[in-house]
Amino acid sequence: MIDVERRLVLTYMPTPGAAAALAALFALDDRLAETLRTTSEPMLGQIRMQWWQDALAKLDSAPPPPEPVLVGIASDVLREGVTGAAVGQIVEGWRVLLEAELDEAALRTHGERGRALFALAGRVAGAASTDPLERAGEGWALADLSAKLSDPGEAVAARLMAEAALAEACSARWSRNGRALGAMAQLARMDLAGVAVGSPKRTLRALWHRMTGR
């Protein structure tokens, strides 16, 4: 998702607090992506990912250190029973990409990145129990990954898994409080369909979802 689509999705969140929580989760996801992108040695990458997971878990018992992403998580996400340890599940989805090969099990683990992000954002937003948050999040994460993998076989496998998850998620009618996350699933599905970023068709599809939940 490009920044303009993120801003649009954030306006779909039911309250300013819920929008801030989703923005904080986006910031964490971006930082983990940057950590992976700037790490050349897998062992160093594991150490850096473990630091993030430990730092998130420590938010359950101590104030955040002066690190902007952690401050945002502590102030905007850790409420309504959401814990730092639960947020740390997003790290697992990124950590698995440090492995030499991405088999089906590894790709499903990467899906945890999206499953956790969507579940946490949905909980803060008050999404309905019928909203397919985890399948939508899994599809969103794998669709994003499939476009970035250099290995053709891995890219196809990620794409197929994303298509299945998103088909299920996008067939449901989403509650009003879950529609920001449903719109993210719809946009990810359009990525897989080759609808270019910036196309009016994408904005119209997101708007239609906001109005109807479909």
Side-chain angles (χ1 to χ4, degrees), residues 42-59:
M43 184 59 70
L44 177 58
Q46 292 286 357
I47 293 171
R48 296 172 74 184
M49 290 293 178
Q50 188 62 49
W51 183 91
W52 277 102
Q53 195 157 39
D54 292 344
L56 289 163
K58 288 177 182 176
L59 296 179

Side-chain angles (χ1 to χ4, degrees), residues 26 28 48 57 68 89 115 122 136 156 158 197:
F26 279 149
L28 173 63
R48 296 172 74 184
Q89 293 174 351
R115 288 192 296 270
V156 169
V197 172

Side-chain angles (χ1 to χ4, degrees), residues 40-178:
S40 57
E41 294 294 331
M43 184 59 70
L44 177 58
Q46 292 286 357
I47 293 171
R48 296 172 74 184
M49 290 293 178
Q50 188 62 49
W51 183 91
W52 277 102
Q53 195 157 39
D54 292 344
L56 289 163
K58 288 177 182 176
L59 296 179
D60 293 331
S61 57
E67 203 291 326
V69 171
L70 293 173
V71 170
I73 293 293
S75 63
D76 296 322
V77 180
L78 301 192
R79 50 198 175 90
E80 308 293 338
V82 177
T83 66
V87 178
Q89 293 174 351
I90 296 173
V91 180
E92 286 300 315
W94 285 106
R95 188 202 301 269
V96 74
L97 299 184
L98 293 164
E99 296 182 6
E101 292 186 23
L102 296 180
D103 58 13
E104 182 177 347
L107 290 173
R108 292 204 179 280
T109 299
H110 180 71
E112 181 61 28
R113 164 199 171 197
R115 288 192 296 270
L117 191 153
F118 275 51
L120 292 163
R123 183 167 183 171
V124 173
S129 60
T130 54
D131 291 332
L133 294 166
E134 293 197 359
R135 286 296 274 167
E138 179 181 3
W140 171 82
L142 289 170
D144 177 58
L145 179 66
S146 69
K148 297 173 180 175
L149 291 172
S150 57
D151 183 284
E154 292 175 351
V156 169
R159 179 187 177 90
L160 291 174
M161 292 170 66
E163 287 175 342
L166 290 170
E168 181 180 335
C170 293
S171 67
R173 181 166 187 170
W174 288 67
S175 71
R176 187 167 299 279
N177 286 357

